[in-house]
Amino acid sequence: MSVLVTGGAGYIGSHVVRLLQERGEEVVVVDDLSNGRTQRVGDARVLQLDLATDAAHPALVSAFAEHGVEAVVHFAARKQVGESVQQPARYWSQNVGGTANLLQAMADGGVGKLVFSSSAATYGAPATDVVREDGPAEPINPYGQTKLVGEWMARAAGVAWGLRSASLRYFNVAGAGWDDLGDTAVMNLIPIVFEALDAGRAPVVFGGDYPTPDGSAIRDYVHVLDLAQAHLAALDHLAADERPHDVFNVGSGSGSSVLEVLAVVREVTGVDVEPEVRERRAGDPPRLVADVSRISETLGWSTTKDLRDIVDSAWRARKA
């Protein structure tokens, strides 16, 4: 099978590209290279392209035909929550406009399978500690809104022209499947802590008085390699005759507190991690964990790596 991966030179995308290559698939990467790196994708064909531009549609249709593309995995998007609040129009243009161009090109090019990179940000600030896919989706920032709209667009394309799609709502992704594919962005807890340690600063913990065992917020962490495997399981699922669901949580199904993460960082790095505890941030729930029963039952997927694996692999990649 030939698979086109948008955003395939980025952190998560490059893991999926490598897994596809390992199982013998032909891979075409589409990336604007604003954050991606071509050395991450091996011998995959790379098409440098911004999906939100007018040039995207003809370039994609041509790539589909040239490489016999049968399926698309769509990562390409802007993904910083704070930036999305400051620049909402840019996020709607890039994330929604880019997805619209991709879907139109898939319709015109006869490519009928899509795995869409969505996010737990679609849930907003849920009233429950454990979130299910059939619960309310009420995003509270433009980033989450654009991801939810992407899901709607994929579903609408299914009704309109038969697109088979699966949208994966990620929770907190970290770690590295290979030392050369570490996360180069400093936007999530573990890279932020590593950067603080390198600079000799105390990592900051927002909130020490939550109703949790140690007072810090609890989140669901998933190893990036487990997440990448979920994309392959979703691709295979799209070939099935019976597909009862099109949206899946991707997480571990259990939570770790911020202080628990710091304790593991201390064990792995050997660096004494003494955090600075500040006031809670507005809108941060005490506990947010994925219900993963749907993806387990429907796709046969579950995590294989724990928090220690995540931190250890992220630290090795950083040192490398």
Side-chain angles (χ1 to χ4, degrees), residues 84-109:
S84 80
V85 174
Q86 297 166 354
Q87 303 178 39
R90 184 184 187 193
Y91 270 66
W92 282 82
S93 173
Q94 288 285 314
N95 294 3
V96 176
T99 300
N101 283 341
L102 173 65
L103 289 173
Q104 188 61 59
M106 291 178 69
D108 294 341

Side-chain angles (χ1 to χ4, degrees), residues 118-162:
S118 190
S119 170
T122 57
Y123 293 114
T128 179
D129 289 348
V130 179
V131 293
R132 295 171 51 90
E133 295 91 341
D134 54 6
E138 299 173 343
I140 58 175
N141 53 65
Y143 168 68
Q145 291 164 356
T146 63
K147 286 298 183 179
L148 185 58
V149 170
E151 294 180 10
W152 293 346
M153 294 167 72
R155 193 170 294 138
V159 174
W161 55 270

Side-chain angles (χ1 to χ4, degrees), residues 163-176:
L163 176 71
R164 295 180 173 214
S165 70
S167 297
L168 304 184
R169 292 176 176 172
Y170 312 162
F171 280 67
N172 295 269
V173 185

Side-chain angles (χ1 to χ4, degrees), residues 285-308:
R287 185 172 185 267
L288 189 61
V289 175
D291 182 319
V292 293
S293 56
R294 174 180 290 184
I295 193 169
S296 175
E297 295 166 2
T298 308
L299 304 188
W301 175 91
S302 62
T303 56
T304 63
K305 302 181 185 300
D306 60 16
L307 181 61
R308 174 71 186 229

Side-chain angles (χ1 to χ4, degrees), residues 12 34-35 75 111 113 122 139 148 168 176 220 232 234 248 260 270 274 284 297 307 320:
I12 301 172
S34 57
N35 294 302
F75 294 102
V111 180
K113 299 174 185 176
T122 57
L148 185 58
L168 304 184
D220 190 331
L232 270 64
F248 301 92
E260 287 173 334
E274 291 298 330
D284 276 355
E297 295 166 2
L307 181 61

